[in-house]
């Protein structure tokens, strides 16, 4: 009878260990996927900013002979960042990774409230735990 009890407890421990390993593997895979998505997102943002800097440098060097970038196909999007790059970054492990907003930063509201969308203001206070910030002229 003792052998049977011993064998049962071994099987239970092995099953618990397998489940623990599977959970940690799933969590690891999720973190890797989120990290890769963030890396791709940041790479796309970097490419947009680098091309904008190159255009600005070229315009400065050419002076009045610089090409008009605000006409033609890109007339409506000149000087803007694509919306897919403005979308919020996914949370990692329940926290914002490198939130990047500090007091004194100038920000544009892209939130859900229609009346505040598009307003620009300066950050007064940042509450990283609450994942929010107060902006002058908007959060009154």
């Amino acid at each position: 009878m003792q052998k049977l009890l011993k064998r049962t407890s071994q099987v239970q421990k092995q099953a618990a260990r397998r489940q623990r390993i599977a959970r940690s593997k799933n969590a690891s895979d999720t973190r890797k996927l989120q990290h890769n998505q963030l890396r791709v997102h940041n790479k796309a943002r970097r490419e947009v900013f680098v091309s904008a800097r190159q255009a600005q440098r070229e315009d400065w060097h050419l002076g009045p002979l610089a090409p008009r970038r605000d006409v033609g196909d890109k007339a409506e999007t000149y000087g803007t960042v694509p919306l897919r790059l403005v979308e919020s970054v996914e949370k990692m492990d329940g926290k914002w990774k490198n939130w990047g907003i500090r007091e004194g930063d100038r920000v544009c509201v892209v939130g859900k409230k229609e009346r505040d969308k598009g307003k620009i203001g300066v950050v007064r206070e940042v509450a990283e735990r609450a994942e929010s910030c107060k902006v002058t002229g908007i959060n009154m």
Side-chain angles (χ1 to χ4, degrees):
M1 187 68 171
Q2 285 183 337
K3 285 185 178 180
L4 182 62
L5 291 174
K6 185 178 179 182
R7 179 69 180 142
T8 305
S9 68
Q10 280 181 336
V11 169
Q12 288 174 345
K13 286 178 185 178
Q14 287 174 350
R17 182 172 179 262
R18 284 190 190 117
Q19 287 178 349
R20 193 172 55 245
I21 290 171
R23 269 188 266 128
S24 68
K25 186 175 181 346
N26 288 341
S28 173
D29 291 344
T30 304
R31 279 194 304 271
K32 285 179 185 177
L33 179 64
Q34 288 175 337
H35 178 72
N36 285 336
Q37 288 174 345
L38 185 64
R39 190 176 49 80
V40 168
H41 181 79
N42 287 339
K43 183 179 179 183
R45 284 179 55 196
R46 213 174 9 259
E47 288 173 358
V48 168
F49 294 129
V50 166
S51 65
R53 270 192 234 112
Q54 287 174 345
Q56 186 180 22
R57 196 175 304 123
E58 179 184 324
D59 291 349
W60 186 82
H61 283 296
L62 292 176
L65 301 175
R68 298 230 13 222
R69 299 181 198 281
D70 57 346
V71 295
D73 295 339
K74 297 185 178 182
E76 294 179 10
T77 60
Y78 174 72
T80 62
V81 177
L83 185 60
R84 65 182 171 78
L85 298 180
V86 177
E87 293 172 354
S88 62
V89 178
E90 291 291 323
K91 287 184 184 181
M92 292 191 172
D93 298 330
K95 295 181 180 178
W96 291 102
K97 185 168 184 174
N98 193 7
W99 207 31
I101 297 177
R102 303 284 177 251
E103 290 180 25
D105 286 353
R106 204 162 165 244
V107 295
C108 178
V109 178
V110 293
K112 295 178 183 174
K113 292 184 180 178
E114 195 63 38
R115 64 187 176 141
D116 292 335
K117 198 178 273 190
K119 289 185 179 179
I120 298 174
V122 178
V123 176
R124 283 186 298 167
E125 179 183 333
V126 176
E128 289 192 22
R129 277 194 168 184
E131 296 172 353
S132 64
C133 62
K134 292 188 178 181
V135 181
T136 54
I138 296 171
N139 304 76
M140 292 296 180

